[in-house]
Amino acid sequence: MNKYSEMPKDKPIIFDTCIFMVGIEKRLSDSNYSLENMRKNWMDDVLSHFENILLHKVVYNELDSETKKIIDEHIGKNITIVDDKDLFDSDPEYMRIFNEIHDHPLMYAPFSKTKNQGEVHSLAYACYHNISLFSSKDSDACDVCSEIEELNKIEIVGFETILGIAYKNNPDKDKKKALKALYKEFCGPRIRQGVIPKTLGEFMDEN
C-alpha cells in the first residue's frame, strides 16, 4: 500500500522493528541519522498520525533503549504492546499460521534464535487477529505476505509511505529536504525495481 490517504487513521496497524531502526548503523557517526533527527523529521509525525498502533512484544524487545523511550510515551495512548503467549503452543490454529510463516524459506533461520522473530510473530499475530496493515521495509517479510495465501489480505505499508505521511504533515522546508534524502537512500531497492518513483516529490504526486 502506498496511498496514505486511503488508510483510516484509526485502523489497526502493526509495525516491524526495522521501521524504527532505519539509519541506526550511522546513528553515532553522522548527526543526520541521530535518533533526535529521525524523531524530529518523521518519527513523531508518524507516531502521532496513527491512532491504533500495535507492536508485538518481541519487536518492542528488539528496540534499543532510547527508541523504547519514544515508544513508551505513546503506550496507553495510541500504541499497544501485544503478545501471543496465551496462544503459543495452546491454540492449534495460531500455531498452524505461526509455523507456516516461521518455516517459510524466506523466514526460516535454523542457526539463529532471534533472526526474523519480530517479523514472524508480528505477521502471525496480524493474520490471526485479522489486522490488515503491516509496516515494514524488510523485503523478505514483505515477500512472504504475497507467497503465503493467508497473508495476502495483509497490506504492506512501506517506508516510502511512512516518509510520505511525515512529508504531508510537515510544513518545514528543512524537514522536507531531510525526508527526500531519507527516501532516496533507504527506499533505493524499491526505486531500482521500478516499484516506486525516483523521488519523494514524485511519490507524493502519485498519492
Side-chain angles (χ1 to χ4, degrees), residues 11 28 30 43 51 70 74 85 88 93 101 115 128 142 151 167 172 190 193 201:
K11 193 171 185 178
L28 297 178
D30 189 332
M43 202 176 288
E51 298 172 2
I70 297 174
H74 293 264
K85 63 181 180 180
F88 214 79
E93 177 63 10
I101 299 169
K115 182 176 173 60
Y128 184 85
C142 296
L151 300 185
Y167 190 91
D172 186 278
R190 288 173 62 78
Q193 292 166 6

Side-chain angles (χ1 to χ4, degrees), residues 10 25 27 35 44 50 60-61 63 65 71 78-79 85 90 92 115 129 134 147 153 155-156 181 184 189 196 205:
D10 61 347
E25 66 280 356
R27 187 176 290 178
L35 183 59
D44 280 345
F50 293 107
Y60 178 78
N61 288 339
L63 299 174
S65 60
I71 299 299
N78 66 325
I79 292 183
K85 63 181 180 180
S90 64
K115 182 176 173 60
H129 291 282
F134 174 59
E147 294 190 13
K153 60 187 177 182
E155 297 181 85
I156 304 299
K184 185 176 181 180
I196 57 175
D205 289 341

Side-chain angles (χ1 to χ4, degrees), residues 55-103:
L55 282 184
H56 195 282
K57 187 176 180 180
V58 172
V59 167
Y60 178 78
N61 288 339
E62 288 177 345
L63 299 174
D64 64 282
S65 60
E66 293 305 309
T67 304
K68 281 182 180 177
K69 289 179 182 178
I70 297 174
I71 299 299
D72 289 347
E73 294 175 14
H74 293 264
I75 292 177
K77 299 174 183 177
N78 66 325
I79 292 183
T80 303
I81 306 299
V82 298
D83 202 353
D84 52 9
K85 63 181 180 180
D86 293 334
L87 300 170
F88 214 79
D89 291 331
S90 64
D91 188 304
E93 177 63 10
Y94 180 80
M95 290 310 302
R96 181 188 66 78
I97 295 168
F98 180 92
N99 287 329
E100 185 173 3
I101 299 169
H102 178 274
D103 295 341

Side-chain angles (χ1 to χ4, degrees), residues 16-179:
D16 188 12
T17 314
C18 60
I19 291 291
F20 300 106
M21 308 304 278
V22 168
I24 192 170
E25 66 280 356
K26 300 180 181 180
R27 187 176 290 178
L28 297 178
S29 60
D30 189 332
S31 62
N32 289 319
Y33 302 93
S34 68
L35 183 59
E36 180 182 358
N37 275 330
M38 290 291 183
R39 180 174 187 173
K40 177 182 68 175
N41 289 329
W42 68 266
M43 202 176 288
D44 280 345
D45 287 313
V46 171
L47 292 179
S48 299
H49 177 83
F50 293 107
E51 298 172 2
N52 193 0
I53 297 172
L54 305 177
L55 282 184
H56 195 282
K57 187 176 180 180
V58 172
V59 167
Y60 178 78
N61 288 339
E62 288 177 345
L63 299 174
D64 64 282
S65 60
E66 293 305 309
T67 304
K68 281 182 180 177
K69 289 179 182 178
I70 297 174
I71 299 299
D72 289 347
E73 294 175 14
H74 293 264
I75 292 177
K77 299 174 183 177
N78 66 325
I79 292 183
T80 303
I81 306 299
V82 298
D83 202 353
D84 52 9
K85 63 181 180 180
D86 293 334
L87 300 170
F88 214 79
D89 291 331
S90 64
D91 188 304
E93 177 63 10
Y94 180 80
M95 290 310 302
R96 181 188 66 78
I97 295 168
F98 180 92
N99 287 329
E100 185 173 3
I101 299 169
H102 178 274
D103 295 341
H104 190 281
L106 291 173
M107 291 286 101
Y108 188 55
F111 303 111
S112 173
K113 293 183 179 180
T114 58
K115 182 176 173 60
N116 296 331
Q117 287 306 294
E119 290 87 346
V120 172
H121 281 272
S122 295
L123 287 171
Y125 188 94
C127 182
Y128 184 85
H129 291 282
N130 294 311
I131 297 162
S132 61
L133 299 179
F134 174 59
S135 184
S136 179
K137 65 182 296 295
D138 184 288
S139 59
D140 288 344
C142 296
D143 288 344
V144 162
C145 288
S146 62
E147 294 190 13
I148 295 179
E149 185 175 355
E150 284 187 275
L151 300 185
N152 291 172
K153 60 187 177 182
I154 296 176
E155 297 181 85
I156 304 299
V157 180
F159 192 56
E160 66 275 5
T161 302
I162 295 299
L163 294 177
I165 290 169
Y167 190 91
K168 183 182 179 183
N169 294 337
N170 232 320
D172 186 278
K173 290 183 178 180
D174 288 336
K175 290 181 181 180
K176 288 192 172 187
K177 182 178 179 181
L179 291 169

Side-chain angles (χ1 to χ4, degrees), residues 177-189:
K177 182 178 179 181
L179 291 169
K180 289 178 179 178
L182 290 172
Y183 179 94
K184 185 176 181 180
E185 179 170 359
F186 293 104
C187 300

